[in-house]
Amino acid sequence: MTVARRLVSTGVAASLLLAAGCDRDAAPQTRIVADGDPGHGRQLIAEVACGVCHIIPGVRGAAGTVGPSLAGFAERNLIAGVLPNTPSELARWVRDAPSLVPETAMPPMPLSEDEAVNVAAYLLTLR
Amino acid sequence: MSPPISSRCARAAAVVGAAAALAACDGPQAALDPAGPDAEAISTIAWVMFGGAAIVFIVVLVAVAWALRARRAREGRGLIIAGGVVFPLVVLTALLVFGLTVSSRINAEPDDALTIRVTGKQWWWQVDYLDAGEPVLTTANDIVVPVGAPVRFVLTTDDVIHSFWVPSLGGKLDMIPGRINETVLQADVAGAYRGQCAEFCGDQHALMAFTVAATDDFAAWLAAQQRPAAEPVTDLEARGAALFLENGCGACHTIRGTDADGTIGPDLTHVGGRPTIAAGTLPNNQGTLAGWIADAQAIKPGARMPSFDRLAGPELRALAAYLASLE
Ligand SMILES: [Cu+2]
């Protein structure tokens, strides 16, 4: 089966090269407002599937309408109309919204503190 | 002389295309990355057929090139008999014998294998663990099996034709109304494999997937699953348990140990411990549970569960917290 393995790894390498050049959803790198890694944040958003409730530009399949669209979120002044939209407040919000706004419908999400910082960093690239 | 640009491009495209196609060939759902004896046999046959066909193809091309270059016409009778009759006869017979020998390993009937009945439904899978033909556990979508042991799958459907396929473990088998099909699968490597409905079955066919997890600790898993649902611990979970009954969820779902005993949708007794919800469509967490309850019809339009879009925020969270706690 070594031939198969080699074919597969060549395939992987080739398609990585391919993919590297055509990722048009890539997180904009020009203005990073917050600490954290927006690219990783975007990946986490896809993994925990925030998109069941939100429209999130740049995240495939994120078309939910249970909560507000997060398009242009970096320009937003307030989070949920209540908290100032700073990187640290936003990181707390995406991890545990009910601790900040008890009446919210948004559940606590399975993100560590560091992961939440990355998720916030991605949302703050959305202009 | 270097080839013209267009043919170089075509060649590059072909190489890249083949590479890209192969790149998808390992991971949790890959017939070329077998994790059990059936899948192993199938992939061996596939590679031998592929190799054999490649050799024959090359031989034919060489013969064509040779014929084109040969100066004068040849007396071809002997060649035609050798290449056109003897060669295919020998090669095809050899391949047939090889294929039959290897495939006889597939679906060998074990004497006393664990039996799991999987019933296809638009668009999810009901999973019953059987003992002497009687269900001893009913769950859904996320199947758990012991590692390294054969498991007999008894396959049927409640509505239209579906097809049960876990490429990493074996071949696909249709689920046909009014019939019962059986297959035996074995996972030799602990891990999680992905399966997919392989027969178009309506709008949400593409979102009808499932997982098979092979574990060393199957007996403990089964015993835990057979226990009734966990009692709510926090106030939020208790509120969720009450809301579950108030909103009529129990008309379609069973949670053992409560009044909910519906059978139209998946059994939710231990839903919090499953890796996915809505038949492999979403990862399982409080967010996806809440999102599914609020808007199932947007996520999987036509699924047999309504969107509960009149719940207040904290009610939605309570339901999600309760279901997540049912491990
Ligand atoms: Cu199906």
Side-chain angles (χ1 to χ4, degrees), chain B residues 133-220:
Chain B
E134 288 305 308
V136 291
L137 170 68
T138 297
T139 173
N141 300 331
D142 295 305
I143 303 172
V144 175
V145 298
V147 74
V151 177
R152 177 184 291 116
F153 283 93
V154 176
L155 305 175
T156 182
T157 168
D158 257 6
D159 38 52
V160 299
I161 301 180
H162 302 274
S163 186
F164 182 86
W165 191 25
V166 195
S168 306
L169 299 183
K172 60 182 101 162
L173 191 61
D174 280 0
M175 303 165 129
I176 295 168
R179 279 188 54 178
I180 291 176
N181 282 341
E182 287 196 16
T183 185
V184 177
L185 296 178
Q186 173 170 333
D188 285 334
V189 186
Y193 306 98
R194 187 172 185 277
Q196 169 77 51
C197 181
E199 179 70 47
F200 179 73
C201 60
D203 286 357
Q204 299 305 328
H205 164 65
L207 298 185
M208 183 168 168
F210 60 102
T211 65
V212 178
T215 166
D216 289 322
D217 219 0
F218 179 75

Side-chain angles (χ1 to χ4, degrees), chain B residues 61-85:
Chain B
L61 285 189
V62 168
V64 168
W66 180 69
L68 287 176
R69 282 170 155 261
R71 294 265 159 76
R72 58 194 170 75
R74 275 172 197 279
E75 176 49 50
R77 175 175 281 270
L79 206 61
I80 289 173
I81 291 178
V85 180

Side-chain angles (χ1 to χ4, degrees), chain B residues 8 19 32 86 113 123 130 181 206 218 223 228 295:
Chain B
R8 238 186 296 158
L32 294 182
V86 179
W123 289 281
L130 304 184
N181 282 341
F218 179 75
D295 219 0

Side-chain angles (χ1 to χ4, degrees), chain B residues 28 46 57 138 187 224 265 315:
Chain B
F57 181 62
T138 297
E315 293 177 329

Side-chain angles (χ1 to χ4, degrees), chain A:
Chain A
M1 213 89 322
T2 52
V3 181
R5 286 273 140 71
R6 214 172 306 145
L7 270 174
V8 168
S9 50
T10 322
V12 170
S15 52
L16 280 179
L17 278 174
L18 255 190
C22 52
D23 196 354
R24 63 195 161 83
D25 295 341
Q29 295 293 324
T30 38
R31 283 181 69 186
I32 296 174
V33 242
D35 288 343
D37 175 354
H40 186 226
R42 186 173 73 130
Q43 189 188 326
L44 289 163
I45 289 173
E47 271 168 29
V48 301
C50 310
V52 293
C53 293
H54 294 290
I55 291 170
I56 311 174
V59 179
R60 214 207 296 175
T65 51
V66 177
S69 165
L70 303 184
F73 196 72
E75 315 283 3
R76 196 76 61 80
N77 285 11
L78 296 170
I79 304 168
V82 177
L83 304 152
N85 187 7
T86 63
S88 60
E89 290 293 331
L90 187 56
R92 286 172 63 199
W93 172 270
V94 298
R95 214 176 146 232
D96 193 359
S99 70
L100 301 171
V101 176
E103 294 297 300
T104 186
M106 178 165 151
M109 295 299 291
L111 297 168
S112 71
E113 278 177 28
D114 289 348
E115 288 171 338
V117 168
N118 293 341
V119 166
Y122 179 71
L123 297 181
L124 292 175
T125 66
L126 299 176
R127 298 188 167 269

Side-chain angles (χ1 to χ4, degrees), chain B residues 49-131:
Chain B
M49 294 290 172
F50 176 72
I55 292 170
V56 170
F57 181 62
I58 289 167
V59 168
V60 169
L61 285 189
V62 168
V64 168
W66 180 69
L68 287 176
R69 282 170 155 261
R71 294 265 159 76
R72 58 194 170 75
R74 275 172 197 279
E75 176 49 50
R77 175 175 281 270
L79 206 61
I80 289 173
I81 291 178
V85 180
V86 179
F87 179 72
L89 209 67
V90 170
V91 169
L92 292 181
T93 311
L95 283 180
L96 182 68
V97 170
F98 168 78
L100 289 177
T101 318
V102 176
S103 58
S104 70
R105 299 210 305 258
I106 300 176
N107 262 329
E109 261 302 294
D111 293 335
D112 56 348
L114 169 71
T115 304
I116 302 177
R117 181 173 65 210
V118 182
T119 309
K121 312 212 178 194
Q122 286 170 316
W123 289 281
W124 60 284
W125 316 80
Q126 179 172 324
V127 179
D128 297 294
Y129 288 74
L130 304 184
D131 189 6

